[in-house]
Amino acid sequence: MADIETKLSQNQPLKTQKIFIGAQIFLRIVVVATSFASTWLMLTNKQIIDIGGFVLDANYKYSPEFRFLSYANIVVGAFSFMSFLFLVLVGRRSSNPTQYFILFLHDLALMCLLIGGCAAATAIGSLGKYGNSHTGWMQICDHFGKFCNRATTSVTFSYFSVVCLLILTITSASKSRQIQA
């Protein structure tokens, strides 16, 4: 009976480590997928309309905020993929808290970059949807519905990436503070 308890207590940290690594890998794959999906939606987002003989077009290139979100998503997707590869290599052998601290700083930096892009795109998206009557800026989403819907979907994917990066940051910080036996 004592042998079973000893084996169970020895396997528990290994099982916990495997679950942690599995969750980290899954979340990093989700971040890569959602950030590249958001990038693709934004980079292919354009709409041309004809209003009374005037041809108007909306394109993500016309907004620095949308370009910033696209570039932030590219950086986050690429660096998350590199951290995924790092985690796969580190996960096979025993790791120390310093490696998780590096992942914590990495995830924190990516999260901050993406939050900035999301905030900028959300602000300009809100302006496009609702306008600003005090400054005379009109809403455009009533004319450019397809463009606004794709931009909204892109920003939503980016916010989902931010939530995953927040979870990764918290778990990496927690793991980096654990003392190795």
Side-chain angles (χ1 to χ4, degrees):
M1 189 67 158
D3 271 344
I4 294 173
E5 290 176 3
T6 305
K7 287 181 183 179
L8 184 62
S9 65
Q10 288 174 349
N11 289 339
Q12 193 68 1
L14 183 61
K15 183 178 180 183
T16 305
Q17 177 73 5
K18 285 185 178 183
I19 291 172
F20 174 78
I21 296 293
Q24 287 268 323
I25 288 172
F26 172 75
L27 286 171
R28 289 182 196 286
I29 290 171
V30 170
V31 168
V32 170
T34 55
S35 61
F36 284 145
S38 174
T39 301
W40 178 78
L41 281 169
M42 192 59 79
L43 293 180
T44 59
N45 193 11
K46 70 187 246 182
Q47 183 178 1
I48 300 172
I49 61 168
D50 184 8
I51 300 179
F54 291 106
V55 176
L56 303 171
D57 67 331
N59 194 326
Y60 87 99
K61 293 178 189 176
Y62 303 152
S63 170
E65 296 84 3
F66 287 154
R67 282 194 316 242
F68 176 56
L69 178 66
S70 298
Y71 300 149
N73 272 311
I74 290 170
V75 169
V76 166
F79 277 89
S80 292
F81 181 73
M82 286 190 288
S83 70
F84 164 75
L85 294 177
F86 173 76
L87 194 64
V88 168
L89 293 175
V90 168
R92 291 187 175 184
R93 50 195 163 119
S94 64
S95 56
N96 60 26
T98 304
Q99 292 168 333
Y100 292 113
F101 185 71
I102 292 169
L103 282 175
F104 162 71
L105 292 177
H106 175 269
D107 296 336
L108 184 64
L110 292 181
M111 186 180 68
C112 290
L113 174 67
L114 198 53
I115 283 175
C118 286
T122 301
I124 201 68
S126 175
L127 188 62
K129 184 168 182 148
Y130 301 111
N132 188 333
S133 60
H134 300 292
T135 58
W137 292 336
M138 297 173 29
Q139 59 187 1
I140 64 159
C141 285
D142 53 346
H143 301 292
F144 293 98
K146 176 186 160 203
F147 177 80
C148 290
N149 289 337
R150 285 180 65 99
T152 301
T153 305
S154 175
V155 173
T156 303
F157 276 132
S158 295
Y159 274 117
F160 190 69
S161 292
V162 167
V163 170
C164 290
L165 283 168
L166 176 64
I167 295 168
L168 284 167
T169 301
I170 291 169
T171 56
S172 296
S174 173
K175 195 73 169 171
S176 71
R177 295 187 45 90
Q178 291 180 354
I179 299 173
Q180 198 171 17

